[in-house]
Amino acid sequence: MAKINRRFWFQLHGWLSLPIWVIFSFVCLTGTISVLSHEITWLTNSDSRASNPEQLAAKPIADLVKAVENKFPTADVSWVMTRESYLSYVISFTDTDKPAAQAYVNQYTAEIQEVFQGMTFIGFMRSLHGWLLFPWHHNFSIGYYLVSLMAIVMMGALITGLVVYKKFWRALFKPQLRVSKGLRIFLQDAHRFSGVWSMWFLFIISITGLWYLTQAVLWHNDVDIDPHAPLLDNKVIPTYQVNAPEFTIGLDQAILTAKQTHPDFMPTFIMLPEHNRDTYKLMGKGDFILYDDTSYRLSINPWEGNIEARQDPDNMTVLQTVSHIADPIHYGTIGGIWTKIIWFIFGLILSGMSVAGFMIWRYRLVDAKENK
């Protein structure tokens, strides 16, 4: 009976890993690259680097927006994204001949280093990993479901693998890699050894992946985790505004208000008002290690300067908290470059395990046919 049970668990482990191994391996590999996508961008694109040989302080974000507007007088700036200190800021705008453009602007010199239309490498890799570039229909994407469903496969493979591999903890202290016994034996040893040492990583990626699946279901059913910024009441808007609005509160003042509210506030994404009733939407991070770069959210009135809505780790709901800690844990950004490197290494191991698992399964199928 024990042999039958072990055979069942082994077959279940194989079927959880085999049928979609191509998608699984691709998701693992793109996720691994995404972890270091900022660093890869810095290495491969000199225009993305924020060179600062004179050790200048970063200029106010409003000055960088003004630099883009001076370069393109008819431009309409929509948002600003700040990144690591070694990467230039990204400013998105539209113009008469540029329906959707982004500019790399050096935050220390206000120099526009590159203007391009399309996605950044960072955005491309996150989209490829997150939803396989499948289109979004209203509030759901088939690709997002496919990727997040991999969490069930990963968790299932982890559990069944531990059941099949008896006394797996021995591999922690007495690893066995039989190189001279042939490719098949080596792959089996490497698969077991890698699986045991990366159990913690498999668990983390599985749990956060299950959250992404839950999040997809919530989005699909019109459940807003983070509330939308409110529209302003008509009473606070000057009636004499005819053309483009001239707000009485500038971007620098809005950022100052955010920092006065949260002394540790560091802006990471800023959306400028699109119309008279819109607000400055400021997102940023603070001293909360486990939270992502948009855990602080403030909507600031561009006419009166008051805060219309705010969200931070202290007043989040349970769903909002999980939503804002999932990414740093999933992508390993919680400890900066060092945790990124660890996540990258184990991501490569996980990608290799999926390929090795397929090859092992293929060898067993060939043996089964030959023994018939």
Side-chain angles (χ1 to χ4, degrees):
M1 186 69 178
K3 291 183 178 180
I4 296 176
N5 287 338
R6 190 171 186 275
R7 181 183 179 186
F8 165 77
W9 284 108
F10 182 82
Q11 289 178 333
L12 181 60
H13 177 73
W15 283 112
L16 281 168
S17 306
L18 176 67
I20 50 176
W21 77 274
V22 175
I23 299 178
F24 184 81
S25 299
F26 185 78
V27 170
C28 291
L29 184 59
T30 53
T32 300
I33 297 173
S34 295
V35 169
L36 291 181
S37 57
H38 286 212
E39 289 70 23
I40 294 173
T41 297
W42 184 89
L43 285 171
T44 58
N45 186 355
S46 60
D47 289 332
S48 71
R49 302 170 191 167
S51 300
N52 188 20
E54 298 181 8
Q55 299 300 310
L56 301 172
K59 292 182 178 295
I61 294 177
D63 289 357
L64 307 182
V65 173
K66 181 59 70 175
V68 173
E69 292 174 339
N70 290 338
K71 177 73 173 180
F72 305 97
T74 57
D76 182 16
V77 176
S78 53
W79 53 258
V80 180
M81 181 188 298
T82 71
R83 304 184 292 180
E84 286 88 346
S85 59
Y86 55 83
L87 287 174
S88 60
Y89 290 1
V90 181
I91 298 181
S92 177
F93 66 96
T94 60
D95 204 351
T96 53
D97 60 340
K98 297 178 179 63
Q102 296 182 41
Y104 282 150
V105 184
N106 189 313
Q107 61 269 31
Y108 306 109
T109 63
E111 177 188 356
I112 300 174
Q113 300 178 165
E114 181 183 359
V115 175
F116 60 94
Q117 300 184 62
M119 299 178 69
T120 64
F121 175 75
I122 298 168
F124 173 77
M125 289 309 306
R126 286 293 183 100
S127 301
L128 186 61
H129 173 66
W131 53 88
L132 305 175
L133 297 181
F134 274 69
W136 283 82
H137 301 280
H138 301 293
N139 50 4
F140 79 95
S141 168
I142 295 175
Y144 196 94
Y145 274 117
L146 283 174
V147 172
S148 55
L149 282 170
M150 295 299 104
I152 297 176
V153 176
M154 189 179 297
M155 182 64 77
L158 172 62
I159 294 172
T160 55
L162 293 177
V163 173
V164 169
Y165 190 10
K166 300 298 182 181
K167 298 180 180 180
F168 61 86
W169 54 87
R170 291 180 177 176
L172 293 172
F173 309 103
K174 295 182 179 180
Q176 187 179 39
L177 289 173
R178 293 169 286 182
V179 180
S180 60
K181 295 291 185 179
L183 180 60
R184 175 178 172 178
I185 299 300
F186 172 75
L187 287 174
Q188 289 176 347
D189 290 346
H191 188 75
R192 294 192 190 103
F193 174 73
S194 300
V196 170
W197 276 93
S198 59
M199 285 187 302
W200 66 273
F201 185 74
L202 289 167
F203 181 76
I204 286 175
I205 300 301
S206 299
I207 290 297
T208 51
L210 289 174
W211 161 250
Y212 293 137
L213 178 60
T214 303
Q215 187 173 248
V217 174
L218 293 174
W219 286 343
H220 201 165
N221 288 276
D222 297 321
V223 177
D224 290 327
I225 299 174
D226 291 314
H228 294 289
L231 292 177
L232 300 177
D233 192 297
N234 283 326
K235 296 179 181 179
V236 304
I237 302 172
T239 56
Y240 56 81
Q241 294 290 333
V242 179
N243 299 318
E246 293 291 339
F247 300 118
T248 54
I249 303 299
L251 177 57
D252 283 343
Q253 291 174 278
I255 295 175
L256 178 61
T257 299
K259 290 185 176 181
Q260 289 173 341
T261 305
H262 301 291
D264 60 337
F265 177 79
M266 291 179 284
T268 57
F269 191 79
I270 298 173
M271 298 182 67
L272 277 63
E274 296 181 357
H275 48 77
N276 284 6
R277 295 184 62 194
D278 202 1
T279 59
Y280 290 109
K281 291 176 277 293
L282 277 60
M283 305 176 197
K285 58 184 178 180
D287 294 335
F288 295 88
I289 297 176
L290 286 178
Y291 287 81
D292 63 14
D293 289 348
T294 61
S295 54
Y296 285 125
R297 293 173 175 240
L298 300 96
S299 296
I300 297 178
N301 190 318
W303 302 106
E304 299 177 342
N306 56 294
I307 298 174
E308 298 290 336
R310 56 179 284 195
Q311 176 183 303
D312 57 72
D314 290 330
N315 65 6
M316 287 182 180
T317 65
V318 173
L319 286 181
Q320 289 169 349
T321 299
V322 176
S323 176
H324 286 279
I325 66 175
D327 269 13
I329 296 174
H330 189 79
Y331 289 100
T333 59
I334 50 178
I337 185 62
W338 296 112
T339 50
K340 283 185 178 183
I341 291 174
I342 293 172
W343 259 244
F344 181 79
I345 292 172
F346 278 91
L348 289 178
I349 293 173
L350 181 56
S351 303
M353 281 176 58
S354 64
V355 176
F358 168 76
M359 295 177 68
I360 293 169
W361 187 262
R362 180 178 177 277
Y363 278 124
R364 290 186 177 274
L365 288 179
V366 171
D367 288 350
K369 289 181 180 179
E370 291 177 351
N371 292 331
K372 283 185 179 180

